[in-house]
mmCIF file of all heavy atoms in Angstrom:
data_model
loop_
_atom_site.group_PDB
_atom_site.id
_atom_site.type_symbol
_atom_site.label_atom_id
_atom_site.label_comp_id
_atom_site.label_asym_id
_atom_site.label_seq_id
_atom_site.Cartn_x
_atom_site.Cartn_y
_atom_site.Cartn_z
ATOM 1 N N GLU X 272 40.817 -13.371 -98.714
ATOM 2 C CA GLU X 272 41.711 -12.379 -99.298
ATOM 3 C C GLU X 272 42.816 -13.063 -100.073
ATOM 4 O O GLU X 272 43.221 -12.634 -101.146
ATOM 5 C CB GLU X 272 42.301 -11.502 -98.186
ATOM 6 C CG GLU X 272 43.065 -10.300 -98.683
ATOM 7 C CD GLU X 272 42.165 -9.256 -99.304
ATOM 8 O OE1 GLU X 272 40.932 -9.347 -99.145
ATOM 9 O OE2 GLU X 272 42.690 -8.353 -99.960
ATOM 10 N N SER X 273 43.333 -14.163 -99.536
ATOM 11 C CA SER X 273 44.396 -14.888 -100.209
ATOM 12 C C SER X 273 43.911 -15.429 -101.552
ATOM 13 O O SER X 273 44.609 -15.332 -102.558
ATOM 14 C CB SER X 273 44.883 -16.037 -99.317
ATOM 15 O OG SER X 273 45.844 -16.809 -99.986
ATOM 16 N N ARG X 276 43.615 -12.504 -103.961
ATOM 17 C CA ARG X 276 44.924 -12.061 -104.475
ATOM 18 C C ARG X 276 45.459 -13.056 -105.506
ATOM 19 O O ARG X 276 46.029 -12.666 -106.523
ATOM 20 C CB ARG X 276 45.926 -11.913 -103.336
ATOM 21 C CG ARG X 276 45.632 -10.856 -102.292
ATOM 22 C CD ARG X 276 45.944 -9.449 -102.789
ATOM 23 N NE ARG X 276 44.961 -8.970 -103.736
ATOM 24 C CZ ARG X 276 43.741 -8.567 -103.427
ATOM 25 N NH1 ARG X 276 43.346 -8.562 -102.172
ATOM 26 N NH2 ARG X 276 42.905 -8.153 -104.343
ATOM 27 N N VAL X 335 56.122 -8.532 -99.941
ATOM 28 C CA VAL X 335 55.385 -8.268 -101.182
ATOM 29 C C VAL X 335 53.903 -8.614 -101.000
ATOM 30 O O VAL X 335 53.028 -7.894 -101.486
ATOM 31 C CB VAL X 335 55.995 -9.055 -102.354
ATOM 32 C CG1 VAL X 335 55.179 -8.848 -103.622
ATOM 33 C CG2 VAL X 335 57.430 -8.632 -102.590
ATOM 34 N N LEU X 336 53.622 -9.723 -100.311
ATOM 35 C CA LEU X 336 52.229 -10.084 -100.054
ATOM 36 C C LEU X 336 51.534 -9.000 -99.239
ATOM 37 O O LEU X 336 50.377 -8.644 -99.499
ATOM 38 C CB LEU X 336 52.164 -11.426 -99.308
ATOM 39 C CG LEU X 336 52.569 -12.666 -100.097
ATOM 40 C CD1 LEU X 336 52.530 -13.903 -99.197
ATOM 41 C CD2 LEU X 336 51.651 -12.878 -101.290
ATOM 42 N N GLU X 337 52.244 -8.484 -98.239
ATOM 43 C CA GLU X 337 51.686 -7.396 -97.429
ATOM 44 C C GLU X 337 51.420 -6.175 -98.302
ATOM 45 O O GLU X 337 50.377 -5.522 -98.182
ATOM 46 C CB GLU X 337 52.653 -7.040 -96.301
ATOM 47 C CG GLU X 337 52.162 -5.885 -95.437
ATOM 48 C CD GLU X 337 53.232 -5.320 -94.526
ATOM 49 O OE1 GLU X 337 54.423 -5.607 -94.756
ATOM 50 O OE2 GLU X 337 52.886 -4.572 -93.595
ATOM 51 N N ALA X 338 52.364 -5.861 -99.197
ATOM 52 C CA ALA X 338 52.201 -4.700 -100.066
ATOM 53 C C ALA X 338 50.967 -4.855 -100.961
ATOM 54 O O ALA X 338 50.223 -3.899 -101.181
ATOM 55 C CB ALA X 338 53.453 -4.501 -100.915
ATOM 56 N N ALA X 339 50.749 -6.070 -101.489
ATOM 57 C CA ALA X 339 49.580 -6.309 -102.332
ATOM 58 C C ALA X 339 48.290 -6.116 -101.546
ATOM 59 O O ALA X 339 47.323 -5.517 -102.039
ATOM 60 C CB ALA X 339 49.639 -7.724 -102.920
ATOM 61 N N ASP X 340 48.260 -6.606 -100.295
ATOM 62 C CA ASP X 340 47.068 -6.430 -99.459
ATOM 63 C C ASP X 340 46.806 -4.956 -99.181
ATOM 64 O O ASP X 340 45.670 -4.483 -99.223
ATOM 65 C CB ASP X 340 47.237 -7.192 -98.137
ATOM 66 C CG ASP X 340 47.111 -8.694 -98.309
ATOM 67 O OD1 ASP X 340 46.500 -9.114 -99.308
ATOM 68 O OD2 ASP X 340 47.630 -9.438 -97.462
ATOM 69 N N VAL X 341 47.875 -4.216 -98.865
ATOM 70 C CA VAL X 341 47.728 -2.786 -98.574
ATOM 71 C C VAL X 341 47.252 -2.031 -99.818
ATOM 72 O O VAL X 341 46.392 -1.150 -99.738
ATOM 73 C CB VAL X 341 49.054 -2.203 -98.053
ATOM 74 C CG1 VAL X 341 48.995 -0.685 -97.983
ATOM 75 C CG2 VAL X 341 49.389 -2.778 -96.690
ATOM 76 N N LEU X 342 47.814 -2.376 -100.974
ATOM 77 C CA LEU X 342 47.408 -1.729 -102.226
ATOM 78 C C LEU X 342 45.938 -2.006 -102.514
ATOM 79 O O LEU X 342 45.192 -1.109 -102.947
ATOM 80 C CB LEU X 342 48.297 -2.221 -103.367
ATOM 81 C CG LEU X 342 48.070 -1.607 -104.750
ATOM 82 C CD1 LEU X 342 48.162 -0.089 -104.700
ATOM 83 C CD2 LEU X 342 49.079 -2.172 -105.758
ATOM 84 N N ALA X 343 45.496 -3.252 -102.268
ATOM 85 C CA ALA X 343 44.083 -3.595 -102.477
ATOM 86 C C ALA X 343 43.179 -2.803 -101.533
ATOM 87 O O ALA X 343 42.120 -2.304 -101.928
ATOM 88 C CB ALA X 343 43.876 -5.097 -102.270
ATOM 89 N N GLU X 344 43.601 -2.665 -100.266
ATOM 90 C CA GLU X 344 42.811 -1.895 -99.298
ATOM 91 C C GLU X 344 42.723 -0.429 -99.714
ATOM 92 O O GLU X 344 41.674 0.206 -99.569
ATOM 93 C CB GLU X 344 43.454 -2.002 -97.914
ATOM 94 C CG GLU X 344 43.327 -3.383 -97.278
ATOM 95 C CD GLU X 344 44.071 -3.463 -95.952
ATOM 96 O OE1 GLU X 344 44.524 -2.404 -95.472
ATOM 97 O OE2 GLU X 344 44.207 -4.576 -95.429
ATOM 98 N N ALA X 345 43.837 0.108 -100.241
ATOM 99 C CA ALA X 345 43.838 1.508 -100.676
ATOM 100 C C ALA X 345 42.877 1.721 -101.842
ATOM 101 O O ALA X 345 42.160 2.735 -101.896
ATOM 102 C CB ALA X 345 45.250 1.931 -101.073
ATOM 103 N N ARG X 347 40.193 -0.114 -102.500
ATOM 104 C CA ARG X 347 38.830 -0.228 -101.974
ATOM 105 C C ARG X 347 38.415 1.045 -101.248
ATOM 106 O O ARG X 347 37.285 1.514 -101.387
ATOM 107 C CB ARG X 347 38.727 -1.435 -101.033
ATOM 108 C CG ARG X 347 38.624 -2.772 -101.728
ATOM 109 C CD ARG X 347 38.142 -3.848 -100.774
ATOM 110 N NE ARG X 347 39.121 -4.082 -99.715
ATOM 111 C CZ ARG X 347 40.077 -4.975 -99.772
ATOM 112 N NH1 ARG X 347 40.195 -5.737 -100.851
ATOM 113 N NH2 ARG X 347 40.915 -5.150 -98.777
ATOM 114 N N VAL X 355 44.404 -6.576 -108.213
ATOM 115 C CA VAL X 355 45.607 -6.332 -107.418
ATOM 116 C C VAL X 355 46.254 -7.668 -107.049
ATOM 117 O O VAL X 355 45.572 -8.582 -106.589
ATOM 118 C CB VAL X 355 45.288 -5.558 -106.123
ATOM 119 C CG1 VAL X 355 46.580 -5.224 -105.370
ATOM 120 C CG2 VAL X 355 44.506 -4.288 -106.413
#
Side-chain angles (χ1 to χ4, degrees):
E272 189 70 12
S273 176
R276 296 283 74 75
V335 177
L336 291 177
E337 178 193 16
D340 287 338
V341 170
L342 183 55
E344 290 176 9
R347 282 196 295 268
V355 184

